[in-house]
Amino acid sequence: MADATEIFDRLKEDHDRHRELIDKLLETSGDSQEREELFTELTKELKSHAAAEEQALYSTMLRKPPTTDETRHSVAEHHEIDEMLNDLAATDMSEGGWLTKFKTFAHDYRHHIDEEEEDHFPDFANYLDKEDEQHMREVFDRRKKEEKAEAEVTPEKKEDAKE
Ligand SMILES: [Fe+2]
Ligand SMILES: [Fe+2]
């Protein structure tokens, strides 16, 4: 049976996978095949996670007025994460600047998921009933799969990105 703990544990499972991929990427160098493959997997994983998280969790939380600020904050960060991933994809991996940029991204992304786990999720759990929990878990599993199948690396320099 789905419960609040279950949906949040499922999201944390994804976060741990993201931490692992980021740690591996930090060990790579130059425009190696390994860096290329890990970055593609990280991009697809992060974009599909954020989309499914919005469709499952944050859309539900938007219906709970006390959590509106936290929800807006997180969704805005998802947009920034997308822009940073696109900017990294548009940056030459063979240059040292790529890793410098990736380190900034890694720091920001870790902050995002730490904040979700430590601040948002425990607060959200206070406003959820069984029906919400069941719904979120079903939507997340279904959408994550579909979003991941469609997710793409889309290079775009930050300065060219339209709001
Ligand atoms: Fe998120
Ligand atoms: Fe998340």
Side-chain angles (χ1 to χ4, degrees):
M1 282 296 283
D3 59 25
T5 313
E6 205 179 306
I7 172 69
F8 294 123
D9 280 352
R10 175 67 192 83
L11 295 170
K12 284 178 197 168
E13 252 174 49
D14 265 19
H15 292 174
D16 284 341
R17 167 95 183 114
H18 303 163
R19 289 180 176 104
E20 223 175 87
L21 282 166
I22 286 170
D23 286 346
K24 281 189 190 163
L25 264 158
L26 287 167
E27 302 285 305
T28 61
S29 58
D31 57 351
S32 58
Q33 194 185 339
E34 195 196 9
R35 180 179 278 184
E36 187 83 47
E37 285 173 6
L38 283 168
F39 182 70
T40 300
E41 172 60 14
L42 183 74
T43 300
K44 290 182 177 182
E45 184 57 35
L46 264 48
K47 286 184 175 179
S48 59
H49 173 88
E53 195 173 61
E54 286 170 13
Q55 293 154 11
L57 174 66
Y58 288 117
S59 65
T60 304
M61 299 323 298
L62 276 174
R63 291 192 272 114
K64 320 277 181 192
T67 64
T68 300
D69 285 349
E70 284 174 307
T71 297
R72 284 180 177 164
H73 175 87
S74 264
V75 173
E77 284 185 355
H78 286 173
H79 180 64
E80 285 166 26
I81 289 160
D82 248 33
E83 285 194 342
M84 289 176 98
L85 284 169
N86 293 343
D87 187 57
L88 276 162
T91 305
D92 189 346
M93 277 188 176
S94 65
E95 286 174 17
W98 192 87
L99 193 61
T100 308
K101 244 181 214 185
F102 185 75
K103 281 180 183 166
T104 305
F105 171 78
H107 173 271
D108 290 359
Y109 190 72
R110 285 186 183 129
H111 169 82
H112 174 77
I113 57 181
D114 287 347
E115 191 177 44
E116 284 184 333
E117 292 179 7
E118 290 161 22
D119 300 336
H120 295 185
F121 296 171
D123 187 39
F124 291 171
N126 296 323
Y127 302 97
L128 297 168
D129 57 32
K130 281 277 162 229
E131 207 180 315
D132 293 325
E133 294 154 12
Q134 180 86 38
H135 172 75
M136 288 192 305
R137 180 63 206 249
E138 285 167 10
V139 173
F140 185 80
D141 286 342
R142 175 165 44 86
R143 291 307 306 161
K144 174 78 198 292
K145 216 168 148 214
E146 291 175 12
E147 291 284 349
K148 186 147 184 198
E150 287 170 15
E152 286 176 341
V153 175
T154 51
E156 186 175 30
K157 281 277 178 199
K158 205 159 193 179
E159 57 265 31
D160 300 332
K162 293 195 181 73
E163 286 305 313

